[in-house]
mmCIF file with all atom_site columns, all heavy atoms in Angstrom:
data_model
loop_
_atom_site.group_PDB
_atom_site.id
_atom_site.type_symbol
_atom_site.label_atom_id
_atom_site.label_alt_id
_atom_site.label_comp_id
_atom_site.label_asym_id
_atom_site.label_entity_id
_atom_site.label_seq_id
_atom_site.pdbx_PDB_ins_code
_atom_site.Cartn_x
_atom_site.Cartn_y
_atom_site.Cartn_z
_atom_site.occupancy
_atom_site.B_iso_or_equiv
_atom_site.pdbx_formal_charge
_atom_site.auth_seq_id
_atom_site.auth_comp_id
_atom_site.auth_asym_id
_atom_site.auth_atom_id
_atom_site.pdbx_PDB_model_num
ATOM 1  N N   . LEU A 1 182 ? 9.316  -2.660  -20.979 1.00 0.00 ? 211 LEU A N   1
ATOM 2  C CA  . LEU A 1 182 ? 8.054  -2.401  -20.273 1.00 0.00 ? 211 LEU A CA  1
ATOM 3  C C   . LEU A 1 182 ? 7.487  -3.726  -19.681 1.00 0.00 ? 211 LEU A C   1
ATOM 4  O O   . LEU A 1 182 ? 7.113  -3.704  -18.502 1.00 0.00 ? 211 LEU A O   1
ATOM 5  C CB  . LEU A 1 182 ? 7.067  -1.716  -21.172 1.00 0.00 ? 211 LEU A CB  1
ATOM 6  C CG  . LEU A 1 182 ? 7.371  -0.205  -21.473 1.00 0.00 ? 211 LEU A CG  1
ATOM 7  C CD1 . LEU A 1 182 ? 6.486  0.222   -22.614 1.00 0.00 ? 211 LEU A CD1 1
ATOM 8  C CD2 . LEU A 1 182 ? 7.220  0.617   -20.319 1.00 0.00 ? 211 LEU A CD2 1
ATOM 9  N N   . LEU A 1 183 ? 7.567  -4.730  -20.486 1.00 0.00 ? 212 LEU A N   1
ATOM 10 C CA  . LEU A 1 183 ? 7.016  -5.949  -19.960 1.00 0.00 ? 212 LEU A CA  1
ATOM 11 C C   . LEU A 1 183 ? 7.852  -6.500  -18.809 1.00 0.00 ? 212 LEU A C   1
ATOM 12 O O   . LEU A 1 183 ? 7.386  -7.074  -17.803 1.00 0.00 ? 212 LEU A O   1
ATOM 13 C CB  . LEU A 1 183 ? 6.949  -7.021  -21.154 1.00 0.00 ? 212 LEU A CB  1
ATOM 14 C CG  . LEU A 1 183 ? 5.953  -6.790  -22.126 1.00 0.00 ? 212 LEU A CG  1
ATOM 15 C CD1 . LEU A 1 183 ? 6.057  -7.783  -23.394 1.00 0.00 ? 212 LEU A CD1 1
ATOM 16 C CD2 . LEU A 1 183 ? 4.543  -6.842  -21.535 1.00 0.00 ? 212 LEU A CD2 1
ATOM 17 N N   . LEU A 1 184 ? 9.189  -6.391  -18.922 1.00 0.00 ? 213 LEU A N   1
ATOM 18 C CA  . LEU A 1 184 ? 10.080 -6.682  -17.835 1.00 0.00 ? 213 LEU A CA  1
ATOM 19 C C   . LEU A 1 184 ? 9.762  -5.984  -16.613 1.00 0.00 ? 213 LEU A C   1
ATOM 20 O O   . LEU A 1 184 ? 9.670  -6.553  -15.481 1.00 0.00 ? 213 LEU A O   1
ATOM 21 C CB  . LEU A 1 184 ? 11.534 -6.490  -18.232 1.00 0.00 ? 213 LEU A CB  1
ATOM 22 C CG  . LEU A 1 184 ? 12.589 -6.777  -17.103 1.00 0.00 ? 213 LEU A CG  1
ATOM 23 C CD1 . LEU A 1 184 ? 12.564 -8.210  -16.695 1.00 0.00 ? 213 LEU A CD1 1
ATOM 24 C CD2 . LEU A 1 184 ? 13.984 -6.407  -17.615 1.00 0.00 ? 213 LEU A CD2 1
ATOM 25 N N   . ARG A 1 185 ? 9.519  -4.688  -16.675 1.00 0.00 ? 214 ARG A N   1
ATOM 26 C CA  . ARG A 1 185 ? 9.225  -3.845  -15.497 1.00 0.00 ? 214 ARG A CA  1
ATOM 27 C C   . ARG A 1 185 ? 7.829  -4.262  -14.921 1.00 0.00 ? 214 ARG A C   1
ATOM 28 O O   . ARG A 1 185 ? 7.711  -4.258  -13.673 1.00 0.00 ? 214 ARG A O   1
ATOM 29 C CB  . ARG A 1 185 ? 9.220  -2.368  -15.881 1.00 0.00 ? 214 ARG A CB  1
ATOM 30 C CG  . ARG A 1 185 ? 10.575 -1.777  -16.268 1.00 0.00 ? 214 ARG A CG  1
ATOM 31 C CD  . ARG A 1 185 ? 11.478 -1.779  -14.994 1.00 0.00 ? 214 ARG A CD  1
ATOM 32 N NE  . ARG A 1 185 ? 12.745 -1.230  -15.248 1.00 0.00 ? 214 ARG A NE  1
ATOM 33 C CZ  . ARG A 1 185 ? 13.845 -2.000  -15.594 1.00 0.00 ? 214 ARG A CZ  1
ATOM 34 N NH1 . ARG A 1 185 ? 13.702 -3.252  -15.558 1.00 0.00 ? 214 ARG A NH1 1
ATOM 35 N NH2 . ARG A 1 185 ? 15.006 -1.434  -15.862 1.00 0.00 ? 214 ARG A NH2 1
ATOM 36 N N   . LEU A 1 186 ? 6.927  -4.586  -15.787 1.00 0.00 ? 215 LEU A N   1
ATOM 37 C CA  . LEU A 1 186 ? 5.619  -5.027  -15.281 1.00 0.00 ? 215 LEU A CA  1
ATOM 38 C C   . LEU A 1 186 ? 5.793  -6.344  -14.535 1.00 0.00 ? 215 LEU A C   1
ATOM 39 O O   . LEU A 1 186 ? 5.066  -6.559  -13.558 1.00 0.00 ? 215 LEU A O   1
ATOM 40 C CB  . LEU A 1 186 ? 4.620  -5.198  -16.445 1.00 0.00 ? 215 LEU A CB  1
ATOM 41 C CG  . LEU A 1 186 ? 4.111  -3.865  -17.080 1.00 0.00 ? 215 LEU A CG  1
ATOM 42 C CD1 . LEU A 1 186 ? 3.344  -4.180  -18.345 1.00 0.00 ? 215 LEU A CD1 1
ATOM 43 C CD2 . LEU A 1 186 ? 3.324  -3.082  -16.109 1.00 0.00 ? 215 LEU A CD2 1
ATOM 44 N N   . ARG A 1 187 ? 6.611  -7.212  -15.007 1.00 0.00 ? 216 ARG A N   1
ATOM 45 C CA  . ARG A 1 187 ? 6.783  -8.536  -14.249 1.00 0.00 ? 216 ARG A CA  1
ATOM 46 C C   . ARG A 1 187 ? 7.445  -8.266  -12.901 1.00 0.00 ? 216 ARG A C   1
ATOM 47 O O   . ARG A 1 187 ? 7.071  -8.777  -11.850 1.00 0.00 ? 216 ARG A O   1
ATOM 48 C CB  . ARG A 1 187 ? 7.560  -9.482  -15.117 1.00 0.00 ? 216 ARG A CB  1
ATOM 49 C CG  . ARG A 1 187 ? 6.915  -10.072 -16.320 1.00 0.00 ? 216 ARG A CG  1
ATOM 50 C CD  . ARG A 1 187 ? 7.612  -11.242 -16.847 1.00 0.00 ? 216 ARG A CD  1
ATOM 51 N NE  . ARG A 1 187 ? 8.961  -10.939 -17.439 1.00 0.00 ? 216 ARG A NE  1
ATOM 52 C CZ  . ARG A 1 187 ? 9.099  -10.484 -18.676 1.00 0.00 ? 216 ARG A CZ  1
ATOM 53 N NH1 . ARG A 1 187 ? 8.072  -10.536 -19.473 1.00 0.00 ? 216 ARG A NH1 1
ATOM 54 N NH2 . ARG A 1 187 ? 10.352 -10.179 -19.122 1.00 0.00 ? 216 ARG A NH2 1
ATOM 55 N N   . GLU A 1 188 ? 8.415  -7.355  -12.938 1.00 0.00 ? 217 GLU A N   1
ATOM 56 C CA  . GLU A 1 188 ? 9.067  -6.990  -11.586 1.00 0.00 ? 217 GLU A CA  1
ATOM 57 C C   . GLU A 1 188 ? 8.147  -6.348  -10.671 1.00 0.00 ? 217 GLU A C   1
ATOM 58 O O   . GLU A 1 188 ? 8.162  -6.640  -9.445  1.00 0.00 ? 217 GLU A O   1
ATOM 59 C CB  . GLU A 1 188 ? 10.225 -6.055  -11.823 1.00 0.00 ? 217 GLU A CB  1
ATOM 60 C CG  . GLU A 1 188 ? 11.448 -6.735  -12.563 1.00 0.00 ? 217 GLU A CG  1
ATOM 61 C CD  . GLU A 1 188 ? 12.556 -5.786  -12.876 1.00 0.00 ? 217 GLU A CD  1
ATOM 62 O OE1 . GLU A 1 188 ? 12.393 -4.552  -12.665 1.00 0.00 ? 217 GLU A OE1 1
ATOM 63 O OE2 . GLU A 1 188 ? 13.640 -6.233  -13.246 1.00 0.00 ? 217 GLU A OE2 1
ATOM 64 N N   . LEU A 1 189 ? 7.230  -5.483  -11.203 1.00 0.00 ? 218 LEU A N   1
ATOM 65 C CA  . LEU A 1 189 ? 6.203  -4.929  -10.278 1.00 0.00 ? 218 LEU A CA  1
ATOM 66 C C   . LEU A 1 189 ? 5.279  -5.958  -9.714  1.00 0.00 ? 218 LEU A C   1
ATOM 67 O O   . LEU A 1 189 ? 4.843  -5.832  -8.618  1.00 0.00 ? 218 LEU A O   1
ATOM 68 C CB  . LEU A 1 189 ? 5.483  -3.796  -11.080 1.00 0.00 ? 218 LEU A CB  1
ATOM 69 C CG  . LEU A 1 189 ? 4.490  -3.012  -10.303 1.00 0.00 ? 218 LEU A CG  1
ATOM 70 C CD1 . LEU A 1 189 ? 5.136  -2.241  -9.150  1.00 0.00 ? 218 LEU A CD1 1
ATOM 71 C CD2 . LEU A 1 189 ? 3.697  -1.953  -11.170 1.00 0.00 ? 218 LEU A CD2 1
ATOM 72 N N   . ALA A 1 190 ? 4.917  -6.885  -10.626 1.00 0.00 ? 219 ALA A N   1
ATOM 73 C CA  . ALA A 1 190 ? 4.029  -7.994  -10.062 1.00 0.00 ? 219 ALA A CA  1
ATOM 74 C C   . ALA A 1 190 ? 4.761  -8.770  -9.002  1.00 0.00 ? 219 ALA A C   1
ATOM 75 O O   . ALA A 1 190 ? 4.100  -9.162  -7.901  1.00 0.00 ? 219 ALA A O   1
ATOM 76 C CB  . ALA A 1 190 ? 3.638  -8.955  -11.164 1.00 0.00 ? 219 ALA A CB  1
ATOM 77 N N   . GLN A 1 191 ? 6.001  -9.009  -9.147  1.00 0.00 ? 220 GLN A N   1
ATOM 78 C CA  . GLN A 1 191 ? 6.868  -9.668  -8.089  1.00 0.00 ? 220 GLN A CA  1
ATOM 79 C C   . GLN A 1 191 ? 6.855  -8.891  -6.817  1.00 0.00 ? 220 GLN A C   1
ATOM 80 O O   . GLN A 1 191 ? 6.838  -9.384  -5.743  1.00 0.00 ? 220 GLN A O   1
ATOM 81 C CB  . GLN A 1 191 ? 8.249  -10.004 -8.605  1.00 0.00 ? 220 GLN A CB  1
ATOM 82 C CG  . GLN A 1 191 ? 8.254  -11.028 -9.616  1.00 0.00 ? 220 GLN A CG  1
ATOM 83 C CD  . GLN A 1 191 ? 9.713  -11.349 -10.127 1.00 0.00 ? 220 GLN A CD  1
ATOM 84 O OE1 . GLN A 1 191 ? 10.518 -10.320 -10.402 1.00 0.00 ? 220 GLN A OE1 1
ATOM 85 N NE2 . GLN A 1 191 ? 10.014 -12.535 -10.507 1.00 0.00 ? 220 GLN A NE2 1
ATOM 86 N N   . ALA A 1 192 ? 6.938  -7.501  -7.070  1.00 0.00 ? 221 ALA A N   1
ATOM 87 C CA  . ALA A 1 192 ? 7.035  -6.644  -5.796  1.00 0.00 ? 221 ALA A CA  1
ATOM 88 C C   . ALA A 1 192 ? 5.694  -6.597  -5.076  1.00 0.00 ? 221 ALA A C   1
ATOM 89 O O   . ALA A 1 192 ? 5.614  -6.461  -3.931  1.00 0.00 ? 221 ALA A O   1
ATOM 90 C CB  . ALA A 1 192 ? 7.422  -5.237  -6.217  1.00 0.00 ? 221 ALA A CB  1
ATOM 91 N N   . GLU A 1 193 ? 4.521  -6.625  -5.825  1.00 0.00 ? 222 GLU A N   1
ATOM 92 C CA  . GLU A 1 193 ? 3.293  -6.664  -5.206  1.00 0.00 ? 222 GLU A CA  1
ATOM 93 C C   . GLU A 1 193 ? 3.061  -7.917  -4.451  1.00 0.00 ? 222 GLU A C   1
ATOM 94 O O   . GLU A 1 193 ? 2.291  -7.973  -3.372  1.00 0.00 ? 222 GLU A O   1
ATOM 95 C CB  . GLU A 1 193 ? 2.194  -6.434  -6.274  1.00 0.00 ? 222 GLU A CB  1
ATOM 96 C CG  . GLU A 1 193 ? 2.205  -5.091  -6.951  1.00 0.00 ? 222 GLU A CG  1
ATOM 97 C CD  . GLU A 1 193 ? 1.606  -4.034  -6.158  1.00 0.00 ? 222 GLU A CD  1
ATOM 98 O OE1 . GLU A 1 193 ? 0.924  -4.365  -5.058  1.00 0.00 ? 222 GLU A OE1 1
ATOM 99 O OE2 . GLU A 1 193 ? 1.619  -2.824  -6.525  1.00 0.00 ? 222 GLU A OE2 1
#
Side-chain angles (χ1 to χ4, degrees):
L211 286 170
L212 289 174
L213 174 62
R214 291 292 180 265
L215 288 174
R216 286 195 295 269
E217 290 180 348
L218 183 60
Q220 291 176 323
E222 293 281 354

